[in-house]
Amino acid sequence: MKVACSTQGAALDAQIDPRLGRAAYFLMIDTDSQAVEVLDNSSGAASGGAGIQAAQTLASKGVQAVITGNCGPNAFATFQAANIAVYTGASGTARDALAQYQQGTLTAAGQPNVGGHFGDTRRAG
């Protein structure tokens, strides 16, 4: 199974990024082989629709679950349409979040946990 984590860095010891669409990186981990693929999130620089673009990219990579700090309504709907489980509220390192996922201590989100444009500092204030 392929699981993606939104992260602030390009390694398993990087912190989970609280933003999904504007996360710096996505780590895609194969839970069977433990192979890690690093994806630089080019969607983060988009002027709009970063969450949808990130969700579409992860879906195209065959991800079956996403672990992140927060997920807005448009990205969440995109994940739902692709049958991808979303786990929000994660913090700490990607390694820790992945361990929590594998131990079954993370709960799949039933809805987005932030509004649209969360984490877009250009729209702040």
Side-chain angles (χ1 to χ4, degrees), residues 33-75:
S33 68
Q34 298 303 307
V36 177
E37 181 182 349
V38 178
L39 180 63
D40 188 356
N41 182 20
S42 60
S43 301
S47 61
I52 294 170
Q53 290 176 32
Q56 290 171 335
T57 297
L58 293 174
S60 75
K61 296 285 189 178
V63 167
Q64 295 164 296
V66 174
I67 302 169
T68 188
N70 297 285
C71 185
N74 295 331

PDB file of all heavy atoms in Angstrom, residues 33-75:
ATOM      1  N   SER A  33       7.265  -2.578   1.229  1.00  0.00           N
ATOM      2  CA  SER A  33       8.719  -2.610   1.017  1.00  0.00           C
ATOM      3  C   SER A  33       9.463  -1.543   1.820  1.00  0.00           C
ATOM      4  O   SER A  33      10.681  -1.583   1.912  1.00  0.00           O
ATOM      5  CB  SER A  33       9.034  -2.415  -0.462  1.00  0.00           C
ATOM      6  OG  SER A  33       8.708  -1.086  -0.864  1.00  0.00           O
ATOM      7  N   GLN A  34       8.744  -0.567   2.372  1.00  0.00           N
ATOM      8  CA  GLN A  34       9.295   0.581   3.086  1.00  0.00           C
ATOM      9  C   GLN A  34      10.081   1.524   2.162  1.00  0.00           C
ATOM     10  O   GLN A  34      10.802   2.397   2.628  1.00  0.00           O
ATOM     11  CB  GLN A  34      10.170   0.147   4.281  1.00  0.00           C
ATOM     12  CG  GLN A  34       9.414  -0.636   5.348  1.00  0.00           C
ATOM     13  CD  GLN A  34       8.228   0.138   5.911  1.00  0.00           C
ATOM     14  OE1 GLN A  34       8.375   1.271   6.357  1.00  0.00           O
ATOM     15  NE2 GLN A  34       7.053  -0.456   5.878  1.00  0.00           N
ATOM     16  N   ALA A  35       9.943   1.340   0.840  1.00  0.00           N
ATOM     17  CA  ALA A  35      10.587   2.240  -0.116  1.00  0.00           C
ATOM     18  C   ALA A  35       9.945   3.619  -0.002  1.00  0.00           C
ATOM     19  O   ALA A  35       8.727   3.738   0.161  1.00  0.00           O
ATOM     20  CB  ALA A  35      10.436   1.707  -1.530  1.00  0.00           C
ATOM     21  N   VAL A  36      10.767   4.659  -0.094  1.00  0.00           N
ATOM     22  CA  VAL A  36      10.295   6.035   0.024  1.00  0.00           C
ATOM     23  C   VAL A  36      10.603   6.781  -1.265  1.00  0.00           C
ATOM     24  O   VAL A  36      11.723   6.747  -1.761  1.00  0.00           O
ATOM     25  CB  VAL A  36      10.975   6.759   1.212  1.00  0.00           C
ATOM     26  CG1 VAL A  36      10.527   8.210   1.279  1.00  0.00           C
ATOM     27  CG2 VAL A  36      10.700   6.039   2.518  1.00  0.00           C
ATOM     28  N   GLU A  37       9.584   7.442  -1.805  1.00  0.00           N
ATOM     29  CA  GLU A  37       9.754   8.311  -2.973  1.00  0.00           C
ATOM     30  C   GLU A  37       9.457   9.733  -2.521  1.00  0.00           C
ATOM     31  O   GLU A  37       8.437   9.990  -1.876  1.00  0.00           O
ATOM     32  CB  GLU A  37       8.790   7.893  -4.075  1.00  0.00           C
ATOM     33  CG  GLU A  37       8.901   8.724  -5.329  1.00  0.00           C
ATOM     34  CD  GLU A  37       7.890   8.326  -6.402  1.00  0.00           C
ATOM     35  OE1 GLU A  37       7.235   7.267  -6.269  1.00  0.00           O
ATOM     36  OE2 GLU A  37       7.747   9.094  -7.367  1.00  0.00           O
ATOM     37  N   VAL A  38      10.338  10.659  -2.841  1.00  0.00           N
ATOM     38  CA  VAL A  38      10.169  12.062  -2.470  1.00  0.00           C
ATOM     39  C   VAL A  38       9.606  12.817  -3.663  1.00  0.00           C
ATOM     40  O   VAL A  38      10.125  12.713  -4.774  1.00  0.00           O
ATOM     41  CB  VAL A  38      11.516  12.682  -2.039  1.00  0.00           C
ATOM     42  CG1 VAL A  38      11.334  14.160  -1.693  1.00  0.00           C
ATOM     43  CG2 VAL A  38      12.113  11.921  -0.870  1.00  0.00           C
ATOM     44  N   LEU A  39       8.544  13.558  -3.408  1.00  0.00           N
ATOM     45  CA  LEU A  39       7.918  14.357  -4.450  1.00  0.00           C
ATOM     46  C   LEU A  39       7.947  15.816  -4.025  1.00  0.00           C
ATOM     47  O   LEU A  39       7.354  16.181  -3.005  1.00  0.00           O
ATOM     48  CB  LEU A  39       6.475  13.888  -4.650  1.00  0.00           C
ATOM     49  CG  LEU A  39       5.649  14.606  -5.705  1.00  0.00           C
ATOM     50  CD1 LEU A  39       6.253  14.399  -7.090  1.00  0.00           C
ATOM     51  CD2 LEU A  39       4.223  14.093  -5.682  1.00  0.00           C
ATOM     52  N   ASP A  40       8.669  16.631  -4.780  1.00  0.00           N
ATOM     53  CA  ASP A  40       8.689  18.067  -4.552  1.00  0.00           C
ATOM     54  C   ASP A  40       7.314  18.593  -4.959  1.00  0.00           C
ATOM     55  O   ASP A  40       6.867  18.348  -6.076  1.00  0.00           O
ATOM     56  CB  ASP A  40       9.793  18.694  -5.397  1.00  0.00           C
ATOM     57  CG  ASP A  40      10.022  20.159  -5.090  1.00  0.00           C
ATOM     58  OD1 ASP A  40       9.282  20.739  -4.278  1.00  0.00           O
ATOM     59  OD2 ASP A  40      10.953  20.730  -5.679  1.00  0.00           O
ATOM     60  N   ASN A  41       6.631  19.279  -4.075  1.00  0.00           N
ATOM     61  CA  ASN A  41       5.259  19.720  -4.344  1.00  0.00           C
ATOM     62  C   ASN A  41       5.247  20.994  -5.175  1.00  0.00           C
ATOM     63  O   ASN A  41       5.235  22.094  -4.638  1.00  0.00           O
ATOM     64  CB  ASN A  41       4.494  19.927  -3.038  1.00  0.00           C
ATOM     65  CG  ASN A  41       3.059  20.340  -3.291  1.00  0.00           C
ATOM     66  OD1 ASN A  41       2.521  20.133  -4.364  1.00  0.00           O
ATOM     67  ND2 ASN A  41       2.446  20.935  -2.283  1.00  0.00           N
ATOM     68  N   SER A  42       5.197  20.847  -6.471  1.00  0.00           N
ATOM     69  CA  SER A  42       5.139  22.009  -7.351  1.00  0.00           C
ATOM     70  C   SER A  42       3.796  22.729  -7.255  1.00  0.00           C
ATOM     71  O   SER A  42       3.683  23.892  -7.633  1.00  0.00           O
ATOM     72  CB  SER A  42       5.418  21.587  -8.793  1.00  0.00           C
ATOM     73  OG  SER A  42       4.459  20.652  -9.225  1.00  0.00           O
ATOM     74  N   SER A  43       2.775  22.079  -6.734  1.00  0.00           N
ATOM     75  CA  SER A  43       1.450  22.692  -6.579  1.00  0.00           C
ATOM     76  C   SER A  43       1.466  23.829  -5.560  1.00  0.00           C
ATOM     77  O   SER A  43       0.619  24.705  -5.599  1.00  0.00           O
ATOM     78  CB  SER A  43       0.421  21.654  -6.124  1.00  0.00           C
ATOM     79  OG  SER A  43       0.339  20.611  -7.046  1.00  0.00           O
ATOM     80  N   GLY A  44       2.427  23.784  -4.648  1.00  0.00           N
ATOM     81  CA  GLY A  44       2.484  24.784  -3.590  1.00  0.00           C
ATOM     82  C   GLY A  44       2.652  26.202  -4.093  1.00  0.00           C
ATOM     83  O   GLY A  44       2.272  27.150  -3.425  1.00  0.00           O
ATOM     84  N   ALA A  45       3.198  26.368  -5.280  1.00  0.00           N
ATOM     85  CA  ALA A  45       3.412  27.700  -5.841  1.00  0.00           C
ATOM     86  C   ALA A  45       2.238  28.177  -6.683  1.00  0.00           C
ATOM     87  O   ALA A  45       2.248  29.301  -7.183  1.00  0.00           O
ATOM     88  CB  ALA A  45       4.681  27.690  -6.692  1.00  0.00           C
ATOM     89  N   ALA A  46       1.210  27.353  -6.824  1.00  0.00           N
ATOM     90  CA  ALA A  46       0.066  27.723  -7.659  1.00  0.00           C
ATOM     91  C   ALA A  46      -0.658  28.926  -7.074  1.00  0.00           C
ATOM     92  O   ALA A  46      -0.750  29.087  -5.857  1.00  0.00           O
ATOM     93  CB  ALA A  46      -0.900  26.539  -7.769  1.00  0.00           C
ATOM     94  N   SER A  47      -1.200  29.765  -7.943  1.00  0.00           N
ATOM     95  CA  SER A  47      -1.921  30.945  -7.468  1.00  0.00           C
ATOM     96  C   SER A  47      -3.276  30.567  -6.873  1.00  0.00           C
ATOM     97  O   SER A  47      -3.838  31.303  -6.085  1.00  0.00           O
ATOM     98  CB  SER A  47      -2.105  31.949  -8.603  1.00  0.00           C
ATOM     99  OG  SER A  47      -2.864  31.372  -9.642  1.00  0.00           O
ATOM    100  N   GLY A  48      -3.786  29.415  -7.230  1.00  0.00           N
ATOM    101  CA  GLY A  48      -5.043  28.915  -6.678  1.00  0.00           C
ATOM    102  C   GLY A  48      -5.163  27.436  -6.991  1.00  0.00           C
ATOM    103  O   GLY A  48      -4.496  26.923  -7.890  1.00  0.00           O
ATOM    104  N   GLY A  49      -5.984  26.741  -6.244  1.00  0.00           N
ATOM    105  CA  GLY A  49      -6.211  25.326  -6.498  1.00  0.00           C
ATOM    106  C   GLY A  49      -5.073  24.411  -6.103  1.00  0.00           C
ATOM    107  O   GLY A  49      -4.987  23.288  -6.607  1.00  0.00           O
ATOM    108  N   ALA A  50      -4.210  24.871  -5.189  1.00  0.00           N
ATOM    109  CA  ALA A  50      -3.056  24.059  -4.792  1.00  0.00           C
ATOM    110  C   ALA A  50      -3.479  22.733  -4.179  1.00  0.00           C
ATOM    111  O   ALA A  50      -2.866  21.695  -4.455  1.00  0.00           O
ATOM    112  CB  ALA A  50      -2.173  24.833  -3.812  1.00  0.00           C
ATOM    113  N   GLY A  51      -4.516  22.729  -3.371  1.00  0.00           N
ATOM    114  CA  GLY A  51      -4.979  21.499  -2.731  1.00  0.00           C
ATOM    115  C   GLY A  51      -5.496  20.489  -3.740  1.00  0.00           C
ATOM    116  O   GLY A  51      -5.173  19.302  -3.669  1.00  0.00           O
ATOM    117  N   ILE A  52      -6.291  20.965  -4.687  1.00  0.00           N
ATOM    118  CA  ILE A  52      -6.820  20.075  -5.727  1.00  0.00           C
ATOM    119  C   ILE A  52      -5.680  19.508  -6.556  1.00  0.00           C
ATOM    120  O   ILE A  52      -5.640  18.306  -6.834  1.00  0.00           O
ATOM    121  CB  ILE A  52      -7.819  20.823  -6.632  1.00  0.00           C
ATOM    122  CG1 ILE A  52      -9.060  21.227  -5.846  1.00  0.00           C
ATOM    123  CG2 ILE A  52      -8.196  19.980  -7.833  1.00  0.00           C
ATOM    124  CD1 ILE A  52      -9.976  22.164  -6.591  1.00  0.00           C
ATOM    125  N   GLN A  53      -4.740  20.374  -6.967  1.00  0.00           N
ATOM    126  CA  GLN A  53      -3.610  19.914  -7.773  1.00  0.00           C
ATOM    127  C   GLN A  53      -2.770  18.878  -7.026  1.00  0.00           C
ATOM    128  O   GLN A  53      -2.373  17.860  -7.597  1.00  0.00           O
ATOM    129  CB  GLN A  53      -2.738  21.090  -8.192  1.00  0.00           C
ATOM    130  CG  GLN A  53      -3.392  22.002  -9.203  1.00  0.00           C
ATOM    131  CD  GLN A  53      -2.534  23.213  -9.524  1.00  0.00           C
ATOM    132  OE1 GLN A  53      -1.318  23.153  -9.509  1.00  0.00           O
ATOM    133  NE2 GLN A  53      -3.182  24.335  -9.796  1.00  0.00           N
ATOM    134  N   ALA A  54      -2.512  19.133  -5.744  1.00  0.00           N
ATOM    135  CA  ALA A  54      -1.736  18.180  -4.948  1.00  0.00           C
ATOM    136  C   ALA A  54      -2.478  16.851  -4.833  1.00  0.00           C
ATOM    137  O   ALA A  54      -1.877  15.779  -4.984  1.00  0.00           O
ATOM    138  CB  ALA A  54      -1.452  18.758  -3.559  1.00  0.00           C
ATOM    139  N   ALA A  55      -3.780  16.920  -4.587  1.00  0.00           N
ATOM    140  CA  ALA A  55      -4.580  15.696  -4.456  1.00  0.00           C
ATOM    141  C   ALA A  55      -4.589  14.909  -5.766  1.00  0.00           C
ATOM    142  O   ALA A  55      -4.464  13.679  -5.764  1.00  0.00           O
ATOM    143  CB  ALA A  55      -6.003  16.039  -4.022  1.00  0.00           C
ATOM    144  N   GLN A  56      -4.730  15.607  -6.881  1.00  0.00           N
ATOM    145  CA  GLN A  56      -4.712  14.930  -8.183  1.00  0.00           C
ATOM    146  C   GLN A  56      -3.360  14.282  -8.454  1.00  0.00           C
ATOM    147  O   GLN A  56      -3.295  13.158  -8.972  1.00  0.00           O
ATOM    148  CB  GLN A  56      -5.064  15.923  -9.299  1.00  0.00           C
ATOM    149  CG  GLN A  56      -6.507  16.352  -9.272  1.00  0.00           C
ATOM    150  CD  GLN A  56      -6.814  17.490 -10.232  1.00  0.00           C
ATOM    151  OE1 GLN A  56      -5.943  18.276 -10.600  1.00  0.00           O
ATOM    152  NE2 GLN A  56      -8.075  17.586 -10.635  1.00  0.00           N
ATOM    153  N   THR A  57      -2.281  14.963  -8.094  1.00  0.00           N
ATOM    154  CA  THR A  57      -0.945  14.404  -8.285  1.00  0.00           C
ATOM    155  C   THR A  57      -0.773  13.142  -7.453  1.00  0.00           C
ATOM    156  O   THR A  57      -0.284  12.116  -7.957  1.00  0.00           O
ATOM    157  CB  THR A  57       0.135  15.439  -7.905  1.00  0.00           C
ATOM    158  OG1 THR A  57       0.024  16.562  -8.784  1.00  0.00           O
ATOM    159  CG2 THR A  57       1.537  14.847  -8.003  1.00  0.00           C
ATOM    160  N   LEU A  58      -1.174  13.189  -6.199  1.00  0.00           N
ATOM    161  CA  LEU A  58      -1.031  12.018  -5.332  1.00  0.00           C
ATOM    162  C   LEU A  58      -1.894  10.864  -5.830  1.00  0.00           C
ATOM    163  O   LEU A  58      -1.462   9.709  -5.815  1.00  0.00           O
ATOM    164  CB  LEU A  58      -1.357  12.386  -3.885  1.00  0.00           C
ATOM    165  CG  LEU A  58      -0.358  13.345  -3.229  1.00  0.00           C
ATOM    166  CD1 LEU A  58      -0.839  13.756  -1.847  1.00  0.00           C
ATOM    167  CD2 LEU A  58       1.031  12.727  -3.158  1.00  0.00           C
ATOM    168  N   ALA A  59      -3.094  11.171  -6.307  1.00  0.00           N
ATOM    169  CA  ALA A  59      -3.958  10.118  -6.847  1.00  0.00           C
ATOM    170  C   ALA A  59      -3.308   9.482  -8.078  1.00  0.00           C
ATOM    171  O   ALA A  59      -3.334   8.254  -8.242  1.00  0.00           O
ATOM    172  CB  ALA A  59      -5.335  10.689  -7.201  1.00  0.00           C
ATOM    173  N   SER A  60      -2.686  10.294  -8.916  1.00  0.00           N
ATOM    174  CA  SER A  60      -2.047   9.769 -10.125  1.00  0.00           C
ATOM    175  C   SER A  60      -0.838   8.894  -9.803  1.00  0.00           C
ATOM    176  O   SER A  60      -0.428   8.073 -10.623  1.00  0.00           O
ATOM    177  CB  SER A  60      -1.634  10.913 -11.059  1.00  0.00           C
ATOM    178  OG  SER A  60      -0.484  11.580 -10.576  1.00  0.00           O
ATOM    179  N   LYS A  61      -0.280   9.066  -8.609  1.00  0.00           N
ATOM    180  CA  LYS A  61       0.874   8.272  -8.172  1.00  0.00           C
ATOM    181  C   LYS A  61       0.448   6.972  -7.489  1.00  0.00           C
ATOM    182  O   LYS A  61       1.282   6.209  -7.023  1.00  0.00           O
ATOM    183  CB  LYS A  61       1.750   9.083  -7.211  1.00  0.00           C
ATOM    184  CG  LYS A  61       2.390  10.301  -7.838  1.00  0.00           C
ATOM    185  CD  LYS A  61       3.539   9.911  -8.727  1.00  0.00           C
ATOM    186  CE  LYS A  61       4.308  11.136  -9.182  1.00  0.00           C
ATOM    187  NZ  LYS A  61       5.452  10.769 -10.006  1.00  0.00           N
ATOM    188  N   GLY A  62      -0.864   6.737  -7.381  1.00  0.00           N
ATOM    189  CA  GLY A  62      -1.352   5.496  -6.791  1.00  0.00           C
ATOM    190  C   GLY A  62      -1.413   5.476  -5.279  1.00  0.00           C
ATOM    191  O   GLY A  62      -1.501   4.417  -4.662  1.00  0.00           O
ATOM    192  N   VAL A  63      -1.406   6.655  -4.676  1.00  0.00           N
ATOM    193  CA  VAL A  63      -1.489   6.745  -3.217  1.00  0.00           C
ATOM    194  C   VAL A  63      -2.868   6.268  -2.753  1.00  0.00           C
ATOM    195  O   VAL A  63      -3.876   6.581  -3.384  1.00  0.00           O
ATOM    196  CB  VAL A  63      -1.222   8.201  -2.770  1.00  0.00           C
ATOM    197  CG1 VAL A  63      -1.589   8.420  -1.323  1.00  0.00           C
ATOM    198  CG2 VAL A  63       0.234   8.559  -3.025  1.00  0.00           C
ATOM    199  N   GLN A  64      -2.911   5.523  -1.658  1.00  0.00           N
ATOM    200  CA  GLN A  64      -4.175   5.023  -1.130  1.00  0.00           C
ATOM    201  C   GLN A  64      -4.575   5.681   0.184  1.00  0.00           C
ATOM    202  O   GLN A  64      -5.702   5.544   0.637  1.00  0.00           O
ATOM    203  CB  GLN A  64      -4.087   3.510  -0.965  1.00  0.00           C
ATOM    204  CG  GLN A  64      -3.923   2.815  -2.311  1.00  0.00           C
ATOM    205  CD  GLN A  64      -3.463   1.392  -2.159  1.00  0.00           C
ATOM    206  OE1 GLN A  64      -2.356   1.133  -1.680  1.00  0.00           O
ATOM    207  NE2 GLN A  64      -4.312   0.463  -2.546  1.00  0.00           N
ATOM    208  N   ALA A  65      -3.628   6.392   0.810  1.00  0.00           N
ATOM    209  CA  ALA A  65      -3.911   7.114   2.052  1.00  0.00           C
ATOM    210  C   ALA A  65      -2.972   8.312   2.128  1.00  0.00           C
ATOM    211  O   ALA A  65      -1.838   8.252   1.642  1.00  0.00           O
ATOM    212  CB  ALA A  65      -3.719   6.218   3.269  1.00  0.00           C
ATOM    213  N   VAL A  66      -3.455   9.397   2.743  1.00  0.00           N
ATOM    214  CA  VAL A  66      -2.677  10.619   2.910  1.00  0.00           C
ATOM    215  C   VAL A  66      -2.689  11.004   4.378  1.00  0.00           C
ATOM    216  O   VAL A  66      -3.750  11.033   5.010  1.00  0.00           O
ATOM    217  CB  VAL A  66      -3.259  11.768   2.054  1.00  0.00           C
ATOM    218  CG1 VAL A  66      -2.536  13.069   2.339  1.00  0.00           C
ATOM    219  CG2 VAL A  66      -3.173  11.427   0.578  1.00  0.00           C
ATOM    220  N   ILE A  67      -1.507  11.317   4.902  1.00  0.00           N
ATOM    221  CA  ILE A  67      -1.360  11.775   6.280  1.00  0.00           C
ATOM    222  C   ILE A  67      -0.869  13.215   6.228  1.00  0.00           C
ATOM    223  O   ILE A  67       0.153  13.506   5.604  1.00  0.00           O
ATOM    224  CB  ILE A  67      -0.347  10.903   7.050  1.00  0.00           C
ATOM    225  CG1 ILE A  67      -0.787   9.435   7.045  1.00  0.00           C
ATOM    226  CG2 ILE A  67      -0.177  11.422   8.475  1.00  0.00           C
ATOM    227  CD1 ILE A  67       0.274   8.469   7.559  1.00  0.00           C
ATOM    228  N   THR A  68      -1.606  14.117   6.882  1.00  0.00           N
ATOM    229  CA  THR A  68      -1.278  15.539   6.835  1.00  0.00           C
ATOM    230  C   THR A  68      -1.767  16.214   8.107  1.00  0.00           C
ATOM    231  O   THR A  68      -2.484  15.606   8.909  1.00  0.00           O
ATOM    232  CB  THR A  68      -1.906  16.187   5.578  1.00  0.00           C
ATOM    233  OG1 THR A  68      -1.425  17.527   5.452  1.00  0.00           O
ATOM    234  CG2 THR A  68      -3.417  16.141   5.615  1.00  0.00           C
ATOM    235  N   GLY A  69      -1.395  17.477   8.247  1.00  0.00           N
ATOM    236  CA  GLY A  69      -1.911  18.244   9.373  1.00  0.00           C
ATOM    237  C   GLY A  69      -3.346  18.676   9.123  1.00  0.00           C
ATOM    238  O   GLY A  69      -4.221  18.486   9.958  1.00  0.00           O
ATOM    239  N   ASN A  70      -3.582  19.242   7.951  1.00  0.00           N
ATOM    240  CA  ASN A  70      -4.901  19.787   7.625  1.00  0.00           C
ATOM    241  C   ASN A  70      -5.239  19.531   6.167  1.00  0.00           C
ATOM    242  O   ASN A  70      -4.350  19.471   5.317  1.00  0.00           O
ATOM    243  CB  ASN A  70      -4.917  21.300   7.887  1.00  0.00           C
ATOM    244  CG  ASN A  70      -4.680  21.612   9.345  1.00  0.00           C
ATOM    245  OD1 ASN A  70      -5.558  21.433  10.177  1.00  0.00           O
ATOM    246  ND2 ASN A  70      -3.474  22.064   9.666  1.00  0.00           N
ATOM    247  N   CYS A  71      -6.534  19.443   5.883  1.00  0.00           N
ATOM    248  CA  CYS A  71      -7.000  19.224   4.513  1.00  0.00           C
ATOM    249  C   CYS A  71      -8.262  20.046   4.299  1.00  0.00           C
ATOM    250  O   CYS A  71      -9.225  19.915   5.056  1.00  0.00           O
ATOM    251  CB  CYS A  71      -7.276  17.740   4.272  1.00  0.00           C
ATOM    252  SG  CYS A  71      -7.709  17.349   2.565  1.00  0.00           S
ATOM    253  N   GLY A  72      -8.232  20.893   3.274  1.00  0.00           N
ATOM    254  CA  GLY A  72      -9.368  21.744   2.948  1.00  0.00           C
ATOM    255  C   GLY A  72     -10.432  21.014   2.155  1.00  0.00           C
ATOM    256  O   GLY A  72     -10.250  19.859   1.734  1.00  0.00           O
ATOM    257  N   PRO A  73     -11.556  21.691   1.914  1.00  0.00           N
ATOM    258  CA  PRO A  73     -12.710  21.038   1.289  1.00  0.00           C
ATOM    259  C   PRO A  73     -12.485  20.566  -0.151  1.00  0.00           C
ATOM    260  O   PRO A  73     -12.971  19.500  -0.531  1.00  0.00           O
ATOM    261  CB  PRO A  73     -13.810  22.099   1.355  1.00  0.00           C
ATOM    262  CG  PRO A  73     -13.112  23.393   1.564  1.00  0.00           C
ATOM    263  CD  PRO A  73     -11.843  23.078   2.285  1.00  0.00           C
ATOM    264  N   ASN A  74     -11.772  21.318  -0.959  1.00  0.00           N
ATOM    265  CA  ASN A  74     -11.593  20.925  -2.356  1.00  0.00           C
ATOM    266  C   ASN A  74     -10.652  19.733  -2.485  1.00  0.00           C
ATOM    267  O   ASN A  74     -10.926  18.796  -3.241  1.00  0.00           O
ATOM    268  CB  ASN A  74     -11.100  22.111  -3.186  1.00  0.00           C
ATOM    269  CG  ASN A  74     -12.129  23.221  -3.259  1.00  0.00           C
ATOM    270  OD1 ASN A  74     -13.332  22.963  -3.186  1.00  0.00           O
ATOM    271  ND2 ASN A  74     -11.670  24.441  -3.377  1.00  0.00           N
ATOM    272  N   ALA A  75      -9.554  19.755  -1.762  1.00  0.00           N
ATOM    273  CA  ALA A  75      -8.640  18.613  -1.780  1.00  0.00           C
ATOM    274  C   ALA A  75      -9.331  17.387  -1.197  1.00  0.00           C
ATOM    275  O   ALA A  75      -9.208  16.277  -1.733  1.00  0.00           O
ATOM    276  CB  ALA A  75      -7.369  18.932  -0.994  1.00  0.00           C
TER     277      ALA A  75
END
